[in-house]
Amino acid sequence: MGMQKFVIPKNLTKALHFIGGTRINLGSYNPTFDVFEPRNGQVLATVEEGKRSDIEEAAQAALGAQEKWALVSPAERGMILRRVSDIIRHNVDDISVWEVRDNGKPISEAKADILSCADTFDYFSGVDLNGEHIPLADVDERFAYTRREPLGVVGCIGAWNFPMQTASWKIAPAIACGNAVVYKPSPLAPVSAVILAHILHHVGVPDGLLNVVQGGAHTGAAICQSRAISKVSFTGSVVTGKIIAQNAASDFVKPVTLELGGKSSCIIFEDSNIELAVTGAMMANFFSQGQVCSNASKVLVHKSILEPFTKALVERTSEMIIGDPLNESTRIGATISAEHLEKVKGYIDGAVEEGAHLIHGGNRAVVNGLPNGYFLEPCILSNITPQMKVYKDEIFGSVLLIIPFDTDEEALRIANDTTFGLAAGIFTNNLSKAHGFARKIRAGNVYINTFNDVSPYVPFGGYNQSGYGRENGKAAVEHYTQYKSIFVNASNKLENPF
């Protein structure tokens, strides 16, 4: 008999905590926060903030589920993860609408994000958890072998810019490796993770394998400090990442994965295909209203092609449709919040005051029928100096900085002139130069003649202040398992060293 069809609950926003296999509201004494829908500025949900006691309840539910889940064979776990992937694909349209209402990005982007989540569950359904056999003598009487074992309960703290994708990048490898999860979404975009919890419940994982507890900084601190939680994975800002690392070591030491921000560069060399490079620069700045950690706001352009590149960039940017993110034709949706819109606008206005030249955009946009939505025109600035805040800070908005350069050495120096190290882009037809620069740039992800590509097969993470640890690929398995080394003497002899 086939499995019953999955349906997203109609009353989804009425209860956004998922503990022990059930969607619940927390106690009336918990403080609450409002979640706003970016496209119209209206309240989408009012949510109770999880307290330490709620985190402990979720962690205990996870411990019970993890004991059962660890006994499930990797092959059977893989089959279950593939079912999750199938449900995501079959419900991509409905899930994408919630992603748009939650986050504000265009629905065309949301659909691509949701399908990438299905790819992630597919990839980790076949993850290799095999250990090694290590001979210690010529005859097979002395040997060792290793086992990869789950950590137990993993605490994951997600970001608002890719709500479902952030959740999938953490939850899929964690449960594939035999762990259970306590997940805290960003309070700005809390819905997607709850849909994912419903999907996992639907495919029959043990109750409590994935728990979702909503909240802000206090809830996140409780996850880091819970003795029932053995590891923490966080995606977000450097400031919060430092606090996460400190909290995770404040009582019981536990490993932490930090996927933090960036201040990346995209280098456009003189031999670049200008049309290709313009597309790459837009991909490096305008996805998800510029709210992408790997974005390259510093677009370094060789002076010999500066004029045609800038002209083509402005033309292409001016053609992008700003509108209701639920419309398929929209390419620029809504910023995550009114506060964040003002922050990005503040960077633009501050740069102009410091002497930057506003080439295009940068104004608040009004969309028909959505007068209270958080819309901002994509912005292009030139005449940038290293002393400006926009040169140094992660803007996290659609603000593209055109910075001319003369020599390869100058381009490399500007690209590496940052405390971050998440990404970099290189546009050139000279593959020798491209690979040479890829080696010299201090960043965890380098894109050659493309930008902001991701794949579940490929590790993602940064250098320096952009964090440590990796998500996706075989590297992720290292962060959700622990090695056990077992030494064996099968000779029935043991020399007495005393």
Side-chain angles (χ1 to χ4, degrees):
M1 191 171 76
M3 183 176 288
Q4 187 179 0
K5 183 183 176 185
F6 174 79
V7 178
I8 298 172
K10 289 183 178 178
N11 63 345
L12 184 62
T13 58
K14 299 301 181 188
L16 286 174
H17 301 270
F18 199 98
I19 297 176
T22 307
R23 192 159 49 90
I24 61 171
N25 284 308
L26 302 181
S28 58
Y29 294 105
N30 289 55
T32 61
F33 60 92
D34 288 332
V35 180
F36 292 90
E37 192 168 345
R39 61 184 283 277
N40 58 23
Q42 295 175 3
V43 174
L44 181 64
T46 299
V47 187
E48 312 97 343
E49 183 162 0
K51 295 180 180 177
R52 190 171 297 272
S53 58
D54 302 309
I55 291 297
E56 291 305 329
E57 180 186 348
Q60 291 304 316
L63 279 172
Q66 195 273 328
E67 289 180 5
K68 299 173 188 173
W69 185 243
L71 299 176
V72 176
S73 71
E76 190 176 343
R77 293 204 294 256
M79 282 178 19
I80 291 170
L81 264 66
R82 285 191 291 278
R83 279 189 221 134
V84 172
S85 173
D86 288 343
I87 290 174
I88 292 172
R89 291 185 200 284
H90 287 142
N91 293 274
V92 60
D93 290 343
D94 291 340
I95 299 171
S96 297
V97 168
W98 276 111
E99 192 85 336
V100 171
R101 296 188 68 192
D102 214 12
N103 167 274
K105 68 176 62 185
I107 195 159
S108 57
E109 280 189 37
K111 287 180 180 177
D113 292 351
I114 301 307
L115 290 174
S116 80
C117 298
D119 293 342
T120 299
F121 277 91
D122 271 337
Y123 172 77
F124 286 106
S125 72
V127 72
D128 181 6
L129 297 175
N130 292 325
E132 293 180 286
H133 175 274
I134 305 156
L136 301 177
D138 290 338
V139 291
D140 203 18
E141 294 178 335
R142 289 288 186 119
F143 63 94
Y145 65 95
T146 61
R147 289 172 50 86
R148 280 189 182 276
E149 296 187 348
L151 293 157
V153 178
V154 176
C156 299
I157 301 172
W160 51 258
N161 56 341
F162 291 86
M164 185 85 156
Q165 191 182 76
T166 306
S168 298
W169 280 15
K170 298 179 189 305
I171 292 164
I175 64 175
C177 293
N179 303 286
V181 175
V182 175
Y183 190 85
K184 188 195 83 65
S186 164
L188 294 173
V191 176
S192 299
V194 184
I195 295 174
L196 193 52
H198 271 289
I199 293 172
L200 281 163
H201 181 70
H202 183 78
V203 300
V205 301
D207 289 348
L209 192 73
L210 170 59
N211 305 273
V212 179
V213 184
Q214 307 288 354
H218 294 299
T219 315
I223 287 175
C224 294
Q225 293 167 354
S226 171
R227 292 192 178 189
I229 292 174
S230 300
K231 183 238 165 49
V232 175
S233 176
F234 169 74
T235 299
S237 70
V238 174
V239 172
T240 306
K242 290 177 179 177
I243 297 169
I244 294 286
Q246 290 166 354
N247 280 332
S250 63
D251 181 18
F252 270 38
V253 174
K254 60 188 69 172
V256 179
T257 297
L258 297 177
E259 200 276 279
L260 308 177
K263 187 65 180 179
S264 306
S265 292
C266 184
I267 307 171
I268 316 294
F269 288 103
E270 65 271 29
D271 66 338
S272 301
N273 175 319
I274 288 182
E275 186 177 340
L276 189 78
V278 166
T279 300
M282 294 171 74
M283 290 169 64
N285 280 278
F286 299 149
F287 277 135
S288 197
Q289 294 66 251
Q291 299 163 148
V292 182
C293 53
S294 52
N295 267 5
S297 58
K298 295 196 294 188
V299 177
L300 317 183
V301 186
H302 193 275
K303 286 181 179 176
S304 65
I305 60 167
L306 181 62
E307 189 174 336
F309 174 86
T310 303
K311 182 182 177 184
L313 176 65
V314 171
E315 286 177 1
R316 290 273 301 277
T317 302
S318 63
E319 293 168 357
M320 297 174 74
I321 296 173
I322 306 171
D324 185 346
L326 287 174
N327 291 342
E328 289 284 352
S329 61
T330 294
R331 289 298 172 265
I332 300 295
T335 304
I336 187 66
S337 69
E339 293 79 12
H340 192 67
L341 187 150
E342 290 304 320
K343 180 181 177 183
V344 175
K345 187 78 170 69
Y347 272 114
I348 297 167
D349 296 343
V352 172
E353 287 173 13
E354 290 178 289
H357 180 208
L358 179 63
I359 296 179
H360 177 82
N363 297 309
R364 185 157 187 167
V366 178
V367 172
N368 286 339
L370 299 170
N372 299 316
Y374 313 138
F375 297 94
L376 185 67
E377 297 171 345
C379 176
I380 302 172
L381 294 169
S382 66
N383 201 31
I384 305 299
T385 66
Q387 290 74 39
M388 293 178 180
K389 277 178 69 66
V390 290
Y391 178 91
K392 301 171 187 173
D393 292 3
E394 181 180 31
I395 302 167
F396 222 61
S398 293
V399 183
L400 188 157
L401 314 175
I402 296 179
I403 302 173
F405 71 91
D406 274 316
T407 65
D408 291 0
E409 292 76 18
E410 184 185 7
L412 182 65
R413 179 184 57 76
I414 296 171
N416 282 335
D417 183 19
T418 174
T419 58
F420 294 102
L422 188 55
I426 299 159
F427 280 81
T428 177
N429 287 323
N430 184 334
L431 282 180
S432 174
K433 177 182 283 190
H435 292 298
F437 262 75
R439 181 176 58 82
K440 294 172 186 173
I441 286 173
R442 295 192 292 272
N445 307 276
V446 179
Y447 306 100
I448 297 175
N449 293 329
T450 183
F451 209 94
N452 270 334
D453 293 355
V454 293
S455 166
Y457 292 81
V458 183
F460 182 88
Y463 288 10
N464 303 327
Q465 294 300 292
S466 291
Y468 49 80
R470 291 295 182 270
E471 300 196 287
N472 289 337
K474 294 178 182 177
V477 177
E478 299 290 334
H479 302 294
Y480 290 105
T481 55
Q482 51 196 343
Y483 272 110
K484 179 177 285 181
S485 300
I486 301 160
F487 290 83
V488 179
N489 172 19
S491 70
N492 207 25
K493 293 180 291 186
L494 198 61
E495 276 190 36
N496 187 345
F498 305 107

